[in-house]
């Protein structure tokens, strides 16, 4: 978490620091950095390491390649004039494109939704309005249309210091945040979860259909059902729910997915921050909670709701950290937490149908030194019978990845009774395996990764792209001398090739598509192509998307004035031919914001992106001073101004005059 704003309170930011904090993986399993180092030492790649703090001092605009001097990428799949990287309070899109704000925090989703007023917020109003900090964006066509469908959006977490005018005060240049009231906590709870809303493209512009019969807000209070192997287990029972099946709400939904049968997936990520209090002495969940960082206590919800206090409800954290499935065709349906897909800090759950009809979900555990997973359903997808697919996620095999130095990898099954996953090690059933997925993966010897984020299968070329955002805590002593990325400040992208092109395979080959960072600084060891310009390189890959023709788009989280001298954005990355590893900047967000999404409509004529927490962070930017910011919010962020200047938003990007993006 970010402690620099106040000595006595933690301000919630992008959670980068939280995920990049003290490691919770106690094993000696090999790290991906060790494997990459060993592999690339034989191939003559650059050596050395560079801490994040040294990067800012090293980057020099004079040393960067200019667009004019860069060699044009032969055979690039993308045609657009890239945006100039930089830092300001606006968003920027490539020339010839429009970037229109479609939805902002507080915008009404229903015909009777109240107008947003930041000075008169209420939980009741928020439940009828677009939630806070939009992350994953999905599109589900209605009647097969690429211009009329349901937009599904995760609301990951809340920034009370940006949400509530007057909460933060400035005196003598010092910033102080007051404790939250119950009313403000209730607003936070209502601002979490997700939005399902009908949208339609009219005369080239997207509009919200407030009369949409399927429009819905799901919050951290919405009743949900636990299903699969852990449902009803003693470890999931509480005073409020003796069945272990019913749970209130979903929290910290980061990325997600849309299933082949048209349901919406939310991935619960940093659930540990919502819990405070102490477990009773000797409680059996102590080791389990330590592995996932519970309690962390950033949120103040336990002051008003016992379920977030471990001393009163010690089993409640076991009811979070799951994959949540929502039937968007029924606005009254009960969302289901699918426990068969494991419990950890889920980044997303992108899926694809395998050769034999089973469905494969790729899952990242977004923390330093944690793992890459996939889930393969036992049943097969039936494209002609939606009802037959609705419980496919309750039965199947969860796997964790183990990578080898020779460029191969294998998927290790997390199945009770196999290998070390037995009663001798504390696993009495498959329920225990999925509740303690991380410990089960530890025992199997899975490869420790540098914060796995989105994992996207590509149905066009048969490959899978793994976003690894960074790991600045990996020390030199944890890697061999040839490791070029000992303190990995900028992350990298791994490309998986499943055996025989079968996404359900249990082995395959791996390759590094990109080592990210500034290629003009030799010590960084970035591996962008020489066709990549000074604007085209990036660090901290986070979310990604593959469009209908198989092209890769990467969004970032962590680029900032102090880290890279640029804001986050959306980059187009070539993956094939002579242009492989060439990257171009397509869209850039305001300073302090994180780039989430992205999502392309089926016809590739619209890209939806989520601009999360604009105005949070970036305090070293010359035009962004914290005290003056809080004293005068009304003059900031013109691209998101109206009732409140700092409002997370979903933006629709379209080509002027129509047509496919970047073609």
């Amino acid at each position: 978490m970010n402690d620099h704003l106040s000595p006595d309170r933690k301000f919630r930011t992008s959670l980068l620091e939280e995920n990049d904090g003290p490691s919770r993986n106690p094993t000696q399993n090999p790290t991906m950095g060790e494997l990459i180092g060993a592999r690339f030492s034989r191939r003559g790649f650059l050596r050395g390491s560079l801490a994040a703090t040294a990067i800012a001092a090293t980057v020099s605009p004079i040393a960067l390649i200019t667009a004019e001097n860069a060699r044009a990428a032969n055979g690039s799949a993308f045609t657009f004039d890239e945006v100039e990287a930089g830092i300001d309070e606006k968003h920027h899109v490539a020339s010839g494109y429009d970037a229109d704000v479609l939805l902002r925090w507080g915008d009404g989703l229903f015909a009777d939704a109240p107008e947003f007023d930041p000075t008169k917020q209420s939980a009741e109003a928020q439940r009828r309005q677009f939630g806070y900090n939009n992350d994953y964006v999905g599109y589900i066509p209605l009647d097969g249309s690429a211009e009329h469908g349901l937009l599904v959006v995760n609301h990951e977490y809340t920034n009370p210091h940006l949400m509530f005018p007057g909460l933060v005060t400035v005196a003598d240049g010092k910033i102080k945040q007051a404790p939250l009231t119950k009313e403000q906590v209730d607003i936070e709870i209502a601002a979490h979860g997700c939005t399902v809303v009908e949208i339609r493209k009219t005369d080239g512009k997207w509009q919200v259909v407030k009369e949409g019969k399927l429009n819905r807000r799901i919050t951290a209070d919405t009743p949900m059902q636990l299903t699969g192997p852990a449902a009803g287990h003693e470890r999931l029972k509480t005073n409020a729910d003796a069945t272990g099946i019913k749970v209130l709400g979903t929290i910290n939904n980061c990325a997600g997915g849309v299933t082949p049968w048209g349901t919406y997936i939310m991935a619960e990520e940093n659930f540990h921050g919502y819990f405070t209090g102490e477990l009773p002495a000797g409680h059996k969940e102590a080791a389990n909670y330590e592995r996932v960082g519970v309690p962390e206590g950033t949120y103040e919800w336990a002051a008003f709701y016992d379920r977030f206090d471990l001393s009163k409800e010690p089993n409640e954290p076991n009811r979070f950290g799951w994959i949540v499935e929502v039937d968007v065709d029924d606005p009254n349906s009960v969302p289901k937490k699918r426990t068969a897909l494991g419990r950890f800090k889920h980044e997303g759950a992108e899926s694809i149908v395998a050769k034999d009809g089973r469905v494969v979900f790729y899952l990242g555990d977004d923390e330093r030194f944690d793992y890459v997973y996939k889930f393969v359903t036992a049943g097969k997808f039936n494209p002609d019978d939606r009802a037959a697919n609705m419980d496919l996620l309750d039965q199947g095999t969860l796997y964790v990845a183990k990578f080898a130095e020779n460029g191969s990898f294998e998927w290790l099954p997390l199945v009770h009774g196999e290998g070390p996953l037995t009663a001798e090690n504390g696993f009495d059933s498959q329920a225990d395996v999925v509740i303690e997925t991380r410990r089960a993966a530890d025992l199997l010897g899975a490869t420790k990764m540098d914060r796995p984020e989105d994992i996207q299968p590509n149905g066009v070329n048969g490959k899978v792209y793994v976003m690894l955002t960074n790991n600045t805590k990996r020390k030199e002593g944890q890697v061999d001398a040839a490791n070029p990325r000992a303190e990995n400040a900028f992350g990298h992208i791994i490309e998986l090739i499943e055996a025989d092109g079968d996404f359900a395979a249990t082995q395959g080959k791996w390759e590094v598509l990109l080592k990210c960072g500034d290629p003009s600084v030799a010590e960084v060891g970035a591996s962008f192509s020489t066709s990549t310009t000074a604007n085209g390189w990036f660090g901290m890959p986070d979310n990604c998307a593959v469009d209908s023709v198989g092209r890769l788009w990467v969004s970032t989280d962590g680029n900032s004035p102090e880290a890279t001298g640029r804001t986050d954005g959306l980059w187009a990355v070539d993956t094939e031919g002579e242009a492989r590893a060439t990257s171009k900047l397509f869209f850039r967000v305001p300073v302090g914001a994180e780039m989430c999404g992205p999502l392309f409509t089926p016809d590739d004529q619209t890209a939806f992106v989520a601009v999360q927490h604009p105005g949070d962070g970036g305090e070293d930017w010359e035009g962004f001073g914290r005290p003056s910011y809080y004293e005068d919010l009304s003059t900031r962020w013109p691209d998101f101004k109206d009732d409140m200047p700092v409002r997370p938003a979903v933006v629709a990007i379209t080509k002027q005059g129509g047509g496919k993006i970047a073609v």
Side-chain angles (χ1 to χ4, degrees):
M1 297 302 295
N2 193 319
D3 292 308
H4 69 279
L5 302 180
S6 172
D8 59 343
R9 297 197 62 79
K10 293 181 178 179
F11 283 48
R12 285 173 228 154
T13 60
S14 66
L15 300 182
L16 173 62
E17 295 89 352
E18 177 178 333
N19 280 343
D20 208 29
S23 173
R24 299 185 178 93
N25 190 332
T27 73
Q28 297 302 311
N29 296 352
T31 67
M32 197 62 188
E34 291 170 324
L35 298 174
I36 291 174
R39 190 172 185 202
F40 283 92
S41 66
R42 299 192 300 271
R43 299 175 59 179
F45 271 66
L46 291 170
R47 305 182 182 191
S49 65
L50 196 61
T53 53
I55 294 299
T58 309
V59 174
S60 170
I62 298 175
L64 298 177
I65 306 167
T66 65
E68 290 77 10
N69 294 331
R71 175 173 58 85
N74 293 324
S76 175
F78 302 97
T79 58
F80 63 86
D81 295 328
E82 71 178 334
V83 172
E84 182 178 356
I87 303 166
D88 62 23
E89 74 279 14
K90 302 178 180 180
H91 69 233
H92 300 262
V93 69
S95 176
Y97 292 84
D98 291 327
D100 301 315
V101 175
L102 176 63
L103 277 167
R104 299 160 300 174
W105 167 50
D107 283 350
L109 301 171
F110 307 90
D112 63 349
E115 289 294 322
F116 178 64
D117 183 343
T119 66
K120 298 178 181 178
Q121 299 179 58
S122 70
E124 181 180 10
Q126 180 64 86
R127 285 189 286 267
R128 308 293 287 172
Q129 298 165 336
F130 193 61
Y132 201 79
N133 270 343
N134 34 242
D135 196 297
Y136 174 78
V137 179
Y139 177 82
I140 301 174
L142 292 175
D143 301 321
S145 174
E147 297 190 349
H148 180 208
L150 295 177
L151 194 73
V152 292
V153 184
N154 285 356
H155 299 298
E156 185 179 5
Y157 67 101
T158 45
N159 291 112
H161 59 290
L162 300 180
M163 293 176 68
F164 303 122
L167 185 68
V168 175
T169 57
V170 182
D172 299 324
K174 295 182 179 180
I175 303 169
K176 185 178 180 63
Q177 178 176 310
L180 297 184
T181 65
K182 182 178 183 299
E183 181 182 22
Q184 289 168 331
V185 165
D186 288 343
I187 294 168
E188 283 196 300
I189 289 172
H192 276 66
C194 76
T195 287
V196 178
V197 63
E198 183 178 341
I199 59 172
R200 185 188 296 274
K201 194 175 183 183
T202 303
D203 296 329
K205 298 294 182 181
W206 288 93
Q207 299 176 355
V208 170
V209 181
K210 292 185 178 181
E211 297 78 16
K213 295 180 179 179
L214 301 179
N215 292 2
R216 183 178 188 182
R217 274 300 320 283
I218 291 172
T219 75
D221 253 351
T222 300
M224 300 191 174
Q225 178 184 353
L226 289 152
T227 71
H233 195 277
E234 289 296 323
R235 299 175 71 179
L236 272 66
K237 294 179 180 180
T238 66
N239 293 319
D241 172 32
T243 70
I245 293 177
K246 300 176 182 179
V247 61
L248 284 180
T250 181
I251 52 178
N252 216 268
N253 297 111
C254 195
V258 171
T259 68
W261 52 94
T263 57
Y264 164 38
I265 297 294
M266 296 185 287
E268 295 183 325
E269 192 188 38
N270 290 304
F271 60 93
H272 63 299
Y274 298 80
F275 296 94
T276 57
E278 296 183 3
L279 285 172
H283 198 279
K284 62 182 180 180
E285 297 297 345
N288 169 25
Y289 291 170
E290 182 178 1
R291 184 64 177 87
V292 293
V294 170
E296 197 270 345
T298 299
Y299 286 79
E300 300 173 47
W301 297 2
F304 307 102
Y305 296 100
D306 288 351
R307 66 189 181 110
F308 298 104
D309 185 339
L310 295 186
S311 68
K312 298 175 181 178
E313 286 288 9
N315 283 350
E316 188 73 12
N318 281 337
R319 295 147 67 85
F320 296 91
W322 304 105
I323 290 295
V324 184
E325 184 177 15
V326 181
D327 180 3
V328 297
D329 284 3
D330 179 3
N332 297 311
S333 64
V334 176
K336 296 181 178 180
K337 297 195 177 188
R338 303 294 193 178
T339 67
L341 282 77
R343 174 177 166 269
F344 46 87
K345 295 178 182 178
H346 286 278
E347 171 69 22
E350 298 288 359
S351 60
I352 195 163
V353 179
K355 290 181 177 180
D356 65 359
R358 290 180 294 166
V359 186
V360 181
F361 289 77
Y362 289 91
L363 314 162
D365 187 351
D366 186 7
E367 192 154 19
R368 284 184 313 106
F369 299 122
D370 266 294
Y371 306 128
V372 166
Y373 299 85
K374 81 173 179 182
F375 178 81
V376 182
T377 63
K380 297 181 179 180
F381 170 59
N382 185 340
D384 300 318
D385 187 352
R386 185 174 186 267
N389 304 313
M390 294 303 287
D391 290 317
L392 281 178
L393 294 185
D394 280 343
Q395 294 185 356
T397 303
L398 181 64
Y399 297 90
V400 66
K402 184 175 183 178
F403 294 83
E405 292 184 9
N406 65 1
S408 66
F409 71 90
E410 58 181 323
W411 293 107
L412 309 175
L414 291 150
V415 176
H416 177 253
E418 295 190 12
L421 307 185
T422 62
E424 290 182 346
N425 288 315
F427 298 103
D428 293 328
S429 66
Q430 187 64 18
D432 291 322
V433 172
V434 295
I435 290 170
E436 295 188 72
T437 304
R438 281 185 170 180
R439 187 167 71 88
D442 292 343
L443 292 174
L444 290 178
T447 304
K448 297 192 289 187
M449 310 294 282
D450 285 353
R451 283 190 60 193
E453 302 250 16
D454 254 7
I455 305 175
Q456 181 72 54
N458 186 333
V460 177
N461 64 14
K463 299 177 181 179
V464 181
Y465 300 102
V466 183
M467 305 294 114
L468 300 165
T469 198
N470 61 23
N471 185 352
T472 60
K473 299 299 191 299
R474 173 151 40 84
K475 304 300 182 184
E476 288 283 358
Q478 295 175 292
V479 300
D480 59 52
N483 191 325
R485 309 280 281 189
E487 296 180 2
N488 183 7
F490 303 112
H492 53 288
I493 301 174
I494 297 289
E495 186 179 69
L496 307 181
I497 304 173
E498 302 273 22
D500 300 321
D502 182 4
F503 292 104
T506 56
Q507 58 186 354
K509 300 291 185 181
W510 67 271
E511 185 62 87
V512 175
L513 171 64
L514 272 179
K515 291 184 291 180
C516 304
D518 183 357
S520 75
V521 182
E523 293 90 343
V524 172
S527 61
F528 290 95
S529 81
T530 56
S531 297
T532 301
T533 75
N535 300 311
W537 66 266
F538 59 84
M540 302 82 163
D542 188 335
N543 300 134
C544 65
V546 171
D547 61 26
S548 68
V549 293
R551 301 178 303 174
L552 179 64
W553 299 78
V554 176
S555 65
T556 62
D557 175 18
N559 293 269
S560 64
E562 59 272 24
T564 59
R566 58 189 58 200
T567 64
D568 285 317
L570 178 63
W571 277 264
V573 179
D574 279 294
T575 60
E576 309 291 340
E578 294 182 26
R580 181 176 167 88
T582 300
S583 175
K584 297 174 64 177
L585 178 56
F586 181 70
F587 179 81
R588 154 184 146 203
V589 298
V591 64
E594 170 187 350
M595 179 82 268
C596 299
L599 183 280
F600 286 79
T601 51
D603 60 4
D604 288 338
Q605 293 197 24
T606 300
F608 293 108
V609 295
V611 179
Q612 191 181 99
H613 57 77
D616 191 28
E619 52 276 356
D620 290 338
W621 178 51
E622 182 179 356
F624 183 56
R626 277 288 179 184
S628 62
Y629 168 76
Y630 285 110
E631 290 171 340
D632 188 13
L633 279 172
S634 63
T635 63
R636 299 285 179 177
W637 318 113
D639 276 341
F640 297 91
K641 70 181 179 181
D642 196 0
D643 300 318
M644 182 104 175
V646 184
R647 296 173 66 181
V650 170
V651 176
I653 302 174
T654 54
K655 196 172 187 177
Q656 293 172 358
K660 294 180 181 291
I661 291 178
V663 174

